[in-house]
Amino acid sequence: MNILKSLAFVLPMTLGTMALSQTEETNPIIKQRMEVMKSMNGSIGILIKMTKGEMAFDAEEAQAAAANIAETAAEVPALFEAEEMSEKSRALPAIWQNYEDFSNKADALRVAAETAATQIDAHDDLGPAVSNIGGACTACHKVNRAER
């Protein structure tokens, strides 16, 4: 996946999550899921801003953002074990219909982000990192997340 396609997917996802945070979820399980997703979105937002030159490149900050995505991606399967739904949640029943696939996709995101965290040393490393992380996000969201 090229960098422009990744940015075209991830940026609206980031903005959508920010808008969603304006309404309060009352289910604690779903609220925790949303917080984890919001954290990942914040981290990918940092990488995107650096990639686009909207934020100065800082290797340590970029590595930390990728590491945060990896850490939170590792939490995702456990957060979705319970089949909890709400109006504010964008989770689709497909998650629980094929939970193994969902877990594998979360693990693929973890691996992509861990790899990025160890390979971002220069600005030129951001494009491939964002592309790989964005591709992993897209693969999961295409089948497990409702559009709004």
Side-chain angles (χ1 to χ4, degrees), residues 40-117:
M40 282 195 280
N41 280 328
S43 293
I44 193 71
I46 289 168
L47 297 175
I48 290 170
K49 286 177 183 176
M50 285 184 192
T51 302
K52 293 170 67 177
E54 296 172 0
M55 180 179 200
F57 175 74
D58 179 314
E60 287 182 22
E61 189 172 2
Q63 293 163 3
N68 179 63
I69 295 167
E71 290 168 17
T72 52
E75 297 174 29
V76 168
L79 292 172
F80 283 86
E81 284 179 346
E83 189 172 347
E84 298 278 342
M85 302 283 288
S86 82
E87 243 179 60
K88 294 177 181 93
S89 173
R90 295 174 72 180
L92 292 173
I95 292 169
W96 299 282
Q97 292 165 354
N98 195 348
Y99 185 77
E100 183 178 355
D101 180 65
F102 173 78
S103 293
N104 289 340
K105 284 178 170 53
D107 193 53
L109 173 58
R110 179 192 58 77
V111 170
E114 281 179 352
T115 301

Side-chain angles (χ1 to χ4, degrees), residues 1-17 41 44 48 90 109 130-131 133-143 145-147:
M1 173 181 283
N2 73 36
I3 186 71
L4 294 177
K5 287 183 182 178
S6 295
L7 292 174
F9 171 76
V10 177
L11 191 57
M13 177 179 71
T14 302
L15 297 174
T17 300
N41 280 328
I44 193 71
I48 290 170
R90 295 174 72 180
L109 173 58
V130 169
S131 183
I133 292 169
C137 291
T138 301
C140 188
H141 286 180
K142 280 195 327 192
V143 294
R145 180 176 178 242
E147 294 299 320

